[in-house]
Amino acid sequence: MKVLVVDNSLEDTKLIQEDLKRGGKFNLVRGISLQTTLRHLSAGNIDGVLLNLSFPGSLGLEILVQVHKFDVTIPIIALARFFEESECLKALKLGAQDYFPLTILDSSGLAKTLFYLCECHRFGIVPKKSYFATKLERTSQVVRGAERRLSRPK
C-alpha cells in the first residue's frame, strides 16, 4: 500500500515509520508542504494519507482541506503531537476519517486502522466510525449531559 505521510518534522516521520513497520507493509512517500503533498497526489497511486497537523499555525488543517478537495474519497488520518479535542473535531469535520495522537503510536493500532481505511477505499465500502470519533462522541455526550445537570436550577 502506498501511503503519503505529510509531515514537516523528520523526527515525527521516523516515529510514524517505526510504528507502521510493526503493523504491515506500507510503501511510504513524504510530503513536507502543501505543494509536495499535491504533487504526490497528482502522480497517483496513493492509497491513504497520514497528515501531521502539527504544522505552524493552521497550515496542517489547510493541507487537510486541500487534500480532501483533491480527492474526497482518499482516506486521511490526522496526527498530532497531543490529543486536543477541538483540533480532533475540526480535523474530523474537515474530512479526516480518524485522528491519532503521536504520543500513543506504540500501541495505537495506526497500521491496522490505516490498512482498514485503505481497503474500504479500494473496495468502495463506507468505513465504520473511527475509534477516536466514537470515543470523542461519547465523551462529548457525557460532558453535555453533565453540563445540563449542573445548569439546572435547584
Side-chain angles (χ1 to χ4, degrees), residues 85-139:
E85 184 177 339
S86 63
E87 183 176 58
C88 178
L89 283 171
K90 284 180 195 172
L92 294 170
K93 285 179 184 176
L94 293 172
Q97 279 75 35
D98 211 337
Y99 179 100
F100 281 86
L102 291 169
T103 53
I104 66 162
L105 282 186
D106 287 340
S107 60
S108 69
L110 177 63
K112 289 178 185 177
T113 301
L114 180 60
F115 182 80
Y116 168 73
L117 291 172
C118 289
E119 287 295 289
C120 286
H121 176 252
R122 187 166 72 114
F123 291 109
I125 299 168
V126 177
K128 294 179 184 177
K129 269 191 180 173
S130 71
Y131 171 77
F132 275 104
T134 303
K135 185 175 179 177
L136 188 61
E137 187 176 89
R138 287 182 187 150
T139 302

Side-chain angles (χ1 to χ4, degrees), residues 14-154:
K14 286 180 182 178
L15 183 67
I16 293 164
Q17 287 173 328
E18 287 302 312
D19 189 65
L20 292 180
K21 276 184 193 175
R22 288 190 298 270
K25 295 184 192 251
F26 296 97
N27 176 19
L28 302 180
V29 293
R30 184 171 176 227
I32 58 171
S33 66
L34 176 58
Q35 293 76 21
T36 58
T37 299
L38 294 177
R39 207 173 308 131
H40 282 297
L41 290 170
S42 295
N45 299 325
I46 299 293
D47 297 303
V49 176
L50 295 174
L51 171 60
N52 190 345
L53 297 176
S54 303
F55 279 85
S58 60
L59 184 58
L61 290 173
E62 177 57 30
I63 293 173
L64 172 60
V65 168
Q66 294 303 318
V67 169
H68 193 64
K69 276 185 188 176
F70 184 87
D71 183 350
V72 297
T73 66
I74 195 163
I76 304 168
I77 297 178
L79 306 168
R81 288 186 188 266
F82 305 101
F83 179 77
E84 294 180 27
E85 184 177 339
S86 63
E87 183 176 58
C88 178
L89 283 171
K90 284 180 195 172
L92 294 170
K93 285 179 184 176
L94 293 172
Q97 279 75 35
D98 211 337
Y99 179 100
F100 281 86
L102 291 169
T103 53
I104 66 162
L105 282 186
D106 287 340
S107 60
S108 69
L110 177 63
K112 289 178 185 177
T113 301
L114 180 60
F115 182 80
Y116 168 73
L117 291 172
C118 289
E119 287 295 289
C120 286
H121 176 252
R122 187 166 72 114
F123 291 109
I125 299 168
V126 177
K128 294 179 184 177
K129 269 191 180 173
S130 71
Y131 171 77
F132 275 104
T134 303
K135 185 175 179 177
L136 188 61
E137 187 176 89
R138 287 182 187 150
T139 302
S140 294
Q141 289 170 353
V142 169
V143 169
R144 282 193 302 270
E147 286 173 342
R148 280 193 298 274
R149 285 190 297 278
L150 290 171
S151 65
R152 288 184 194 148
K154 291 184 180 187

